[in-house]
Amino acid sequence: MFGIGSATRIYLAAGATDMRKGFEGLYGLVRDQLQLEPLSGHIFIFSNAQRNRLKLLFWDGSGLWVCAKRLEKGRFRWPQAEAGQSRVVLSQEELALLVGGIDLAGSKRRAWFRKVVGGSEGELAAKPPQATTLLQEGIA
């Protein structure tokens, strides 16, 4: 199995993906459509047009994982990307909510301290955290 560390980013592909794609097809989508490195150790998530299936691509250091989930009833509530964006960044908690069937549009992020990856301490002190909804952040 694989674990999600604090440095692991979770990228959700906007739009629909052909669920017949396997390792090479999803690898190509990450590289060409999302413009990211598939072997980075980050998690990439794709869904079909009906939003009842999803696939996850992950590099664990020795090989690629492709995991799939098919819902028997219902649909995943897929977040919308901002205009011109091909991907949405999710937190580990948002991924768990999405896969668990919770609508991210109705949830609200609390004003907790969250360190920005690559951000300096001066930037963090200058910008205190604000409570925003996932919709305001472009996640829903």
Side-chain angles (χ1 to χ4, degrees):
M1 291 305 296
F2 56 89
I4 302 175
S6 60
T8 303
R9 310 275 323 250
I10 301 166
Y11 295 100
L12 183 129
T17 301
D18 182 356
M19 289 290 108
R20 294 175 291 182
K21 292 189 182 295
F23 292 95
E24 287 80 16
L26 295 175
Y27 184 99
L29 285 177
V30 171
R31 187 188 62 224
D32 301 334
Q33 180 183 340
L34 301 181
Q35 309 239 327
L36 295 167
E37 174 56 45
L39 304 180
S40 62
H42 299 307
I43 297 173
F44 306 97
I45 306 170
F46 305 90
S47 178
N48 64 344
Q50 294 79 27
R51 302 289 187 241
N52 62 351
R53 297 173 189 242
L54 65 79
K55 281 192 177 181
L56 180 144
L57 182 72
F58 174 73
W59 172 259
D60 70 355
S62 64
L64 283 170
W65 285 79
V66 173
C67 303
K69 181 170 184 174
R70 181 189 72 194
L71 295 177
E72 295 300 322
K73 283 187 173 182
R75 300 175 191 274
F76 294 106
R77 175 68 167 102
W78 213 243
Q80 297 294 318
E82 293 180 18
Q85 294 292 320
S86 61
R87 64 184 182 241
V88 175
V89 179
L90 296 180
S91 69
Q92 295 175 23
E93 297 85 8
E94 290 164 341
L95 173 61
L97 292 173
L98 176 72
V99 173
I102 307 296
D103 187 354
L104 297 178
S107 58
K108 185 172 106 176
R109 185 181 299 271
R110 303 289 298 189
W112 290 350
F113 173 81
R114 295 185 191 271
K115 184 169 181 163
V116 178
V117 176
S120 67
E121 293 299 324
E123 291 175 0
L124 295 175
K127 296 180 186 177
Q130 299 176 350
T132 60
T133 64
L134 297 175
L135 186 58
Q136 290 169 327
E137 293 182 13
I139 296 173

